[in-house]
Amino acid sequence: MLYFPAMANSLNISRISIGADDLGPGLWWAWIYCTWFTPTVFGSNAEQTGVAVFSDPSWLLSLATCAATLFAMPKLLEKRKFGSRQSIIAACLVAAGTLALGLSVEANEPAAYLAFGAIATGMGSGVLWALWGKRFEKRGRDMMALVPLSALVAAGCVMLALLLPGAAALSFAAALPLGSCALLAKRKPPNKQSSAPLDEIVSLDKKKGRSVLIRLCAATLAACSVSSFAQATAYGTPNLGLLPSGAVFGMFLVFCASAPPLFMRRPFNFVKPTRYLLFLEAIALALLIYGNYPALSVAYFLATAVSVCFDFLLVMYLVAFIEKGFFSSTLAFCLSEGFVQVGWLIGNSAGIAVSRNAYAYEHLNAAYLVLLCLLFLLLVFVVEQQGNAEKMAATTANESAVKTLAERYSLSKRETEICALLGQGRSIPFISDSLFLAKSTVETHVKHVYAKLDVHSRQELLSLLERARTTR
């Protein structure tokens, strides 16, 4: 087990622990990019069409099946218990589907084999990812290492798949979900201790948390749709190395964006990398408008990298809210990846349809201009959502600091409740109305809080809370 210092500011996270089983989600992501973003499965077909991932409609069918499974899994996990047996079945489905896709393409088998492979991979991968989300329930601070570690694992697997010969590469890709399943079974059940502070004192606004989750997922869907459309309309790009190299470059960017919070005392800022990613996406669209071969190649490379980045970074950003109890890791995992899959589905479908329609293809530059405007609106929307998210994080940071002081100075439940409201800047009349207490009763509780904490004013209390937020 390895330990890393992590951010200990408003999110109140102090240390990261990493075990071998943490490679599991990375192997799941690695399966996606080895199967669909390299010539591993569609190798011979890719040599004819020039692009591996868009060469077969089974890609779209697998995306649709996986997204539908991911959206259904949170409810299914509430009603039924999924254990090792279900995870093994899911992993075997993905492995069998991967082999069916690869062998069907090589042997020119009927479309039914491709349909089976697409549905099996989509359904199995959706279930497996949902079970990883369920297993991370109440994991707490250790989740901060999930994304940078997974990006490294996925990048390494993609490069290894490119080095292996055809049959070995296909077998390697099929083995990845089995490895992820084995690590999922190895992981010990989570501790029953809740990571959400002051659950019994300050109720978390779950409805608001889910609203932020849906909005961020919707923004990611739009961004993935634009990047996938750019990929699909650069369909004539003949260099097969652009797709996997773009994916690996995207994983490198993910690691650079998500690793610093593990070693620096600051939270992960979703808006900062998103601004740069949307800028890269705008460059890709501008290059597509320019239209010559070098420009198309660079556009294709950038669009692939951006698409990969959004797939990883959304999960990284949602970790902070999972830890604070705004929504479960199962819901966050399923919705975030589900919206990414739908974004890829929409963008690829629209791009392929436009590329095969002569009239639409003639007006493609107009579509690129519209998408450039959409990217600007998307950036404004994401910045607004960051403001809402920071307010939520600040609220939970105050709750965590109050919990620390309550345990350290033995505050009663009512005193802790009033201390939390004082920390939010609430006045005594407001506290009196909110808690249905007499003003004199609230004043008495405030005196007791000040005496126990050895402070003499509201400012000293706020300073004490600030120190509690930045220390363990």
Side-chain angles (χ1 to χ4, degrees):
M1 186 74 70
L2 300 177
Y3 293 95
F4 293 92
M7 53 186 175
N9 44 26
S10 62
L11 296 179
N12 196 30
I13 299 172
S14 57
R15 203 163 65 159
I16 299 297
S17 63
I18 299 175
D21 52 338
D22 289 294
L23 300 175
L27 293 179
W28 184 90
W29 261 312
W31 170 80
I32 287 183
Y33 294 106
C34 287
T35 301
W36 303 109
F37 283 60
T38 72
T40 297
V41 173
F42 298 99
S44 61
N45 213 11
E47 292 175 1
Q48 299 172 10
T49 61
V51 180
V53 70
F54 305 123
S55 63
D56 199 285
S58 58
W59 157 248
L60 303 180
L61 180 57
S62 182
L63 284 176
T65 306
C66 184
T69 303
L70 287 168
F71 291 141
M73 281 303 294
K75 288 293 183 183
L76 289 176
L77 288 173
E78 290 178 3
K79 297 178 180 178
R80 295 187 59 184
K81 183 178 180 180
F82 280 65
S84 299
R85 180 187 301 176
Q86 286 76 15
S87 65
I88 293 172
I89 293 173
C92 290
L93 271 177
V94 181
T98 304
L99 292 174
L101 288 172
L103 296 176
S104 298
V105 171
E106 294 297 329
N108 293 318
E109 294 291 341
Y113 289 92
L114 291 174
F116 164 76
I119 294 173
T121 54
M123 184 178 299
S125 61
V127 172
L128 196 59
W129 184 245
L131 292 178
W132 270 112
K134 184 68 175 178
R135 191 54 66 90
F136 274 99
E137 292 284 354
K138 302 177 183 178
R139 173 114 186 255
R141 63 179 63 95
D142 293 350
M143 287 185 65
M144 291 303 299
L146 170 65
V147 169
L149 182 62
S150 295
L152 289 179
V153 171
C157 289
V158 168
M159 289 187 286
L160 179 58
L162 291 173
L163 295 175
L164 294 172
L170 179 60
S171 300
F172 174 70
L176 290 172
L178 299 176
S180 180
C181 175
L183 294 173
L184 179 63
K186 177 181 179 294
R187 169 169 291 285
K188 296 179 180 179
N191 296 327
K192 299 299 182 182
Q193 188 176 11
S194 173
S195 61
L198 297 177
D199 286 336
E200 74 284 2
I201 298 171
V202 183
S203 61
L204 296 174
D205 191 347
K206 300 290 183 66
K207 185 176 180 181
K208 186 176 181 180
R210 292 195 178 196
S211 175
V212 169
L213 171 62
I214 295 296
R215 291 177 183 179
L216 288 173
C217 288
T220 302
L221 182 151
C224 288
S225 297
V226 173
S227 59
S228 296
F229 182 83
Q231 287 176 291
T233 50
Y235 194 83
T237 306
N239 188 345
L240 288 178
L242 287 175
L243 187 60
S245 60
V248 171
F249 178 67
M251 294 168 196
F252 171 75
L253 294 179
V254 167
F255 180 80
C256 292
S258 60
L262 299 178
F263 305 98
M264 302 171 65
R265 301 168 72 88
R266 62 178 178 81
F268 176 72
N269 187 335
F270 183 69
V271 162
K272 188 173 182 179
T274 298
R275 287 197 295 257
Y276 293 120
L277 292 177
L278 293 178
F279 177 69
L280 291 178
E281 213 164 9
I283 292 176
L285 291 175
L287 291 173
L288 288 173
I289 293 174
Y290 187 66
N292 63 12
Y293 172 71
L296 289 176
S297 299
V298 175
Y300 188 78
F301 178 86
L302 291 177
T304 302
V306 169
S307 183
V308 170
C309 286
F310 277 113
D311 187 18
F312 282 87
L313 292 181
L314 180 59
V315 174
M316 179 71 179
Y317 183 65
L318 296 179
V319 162
F321 299 99
I322 295 171
E323 292 167 2
K324 299 306 176 183
F326 283 103
F327 35 75
S328 68
S329 60
T330 304
L331 183 67
F333 272 52
C334 290
L335 289 188
S336 61
E337 189 62 33
F339 275 91
V340 168
Q341 301 272 330
V342 172
W344 288 349
L345 177 63
I346 293 173
N348 287 333
S349 300
I352 292 172
V354 168
S355 298
R356 296 177 180 178
N357 185 292
Y359 177 79
Y361 198 79
E362 289 178 359
H363 297 83
L364 193 55
N365 285 349
Y368 292 147
L369 291 174
V370 172
L371 293 179
L372 281 171
C373 296
L374 174 62
L375 290 180
F376 173 77
L377 296 176
L378 187 60
L379 178 59
V380 173
F381 174 81
V382 170
V383 171
E384 290 177 353
Q385 296 313 304
Q386 176 69 11
N388 294 333
E390 287 175 349
K391 291 179 182 178
M392 294 167 62
T395 300
T396 56
N398 179 68
E399 294 168 1
S400 183
V402 170
K403 181 180 179 181
T404 299
L405 295 181
E407 294 174 350
R408 185 181 303 167
Y409 296 99
S410 302
L411 299 182
S412 68
K413 179 177 178 179
R414 181 63 78 186
E415 290 167 352
T416 306
E417 197 171 17
I418 289 176
C419 181
L421 292 170
L422 290 172
Q424 295 173 13
R426 301 303 187 182
S427 65
I428 289 179
F430 179 91
I431 297 173
S432 175
D433 294 339
S434 299
L435 302 181
F436 302 102
L437 297 174
K439 184 178 177 182
S440 59
T441 303
V442 175
E443 290 174 343
T444 300
H445 283 304
V446 170
K447 290 179 181 178
H448 292 163
V449 170
Y450 282 11
K452 289 185 177 181
L453 300 182
D454 193 24
V455 297
H456 305 88
S457 66
R458 177 75 65 90
Q459 186 57 49
E460 289 185 13
L461 174 62
L462 295 176
S463 298
L464 185 61
L465 288 171
E466 179 64 27
R467 290 196 296 272
R469 279 194 289 268
T470 56
T471 59
R472 195 177 175 185

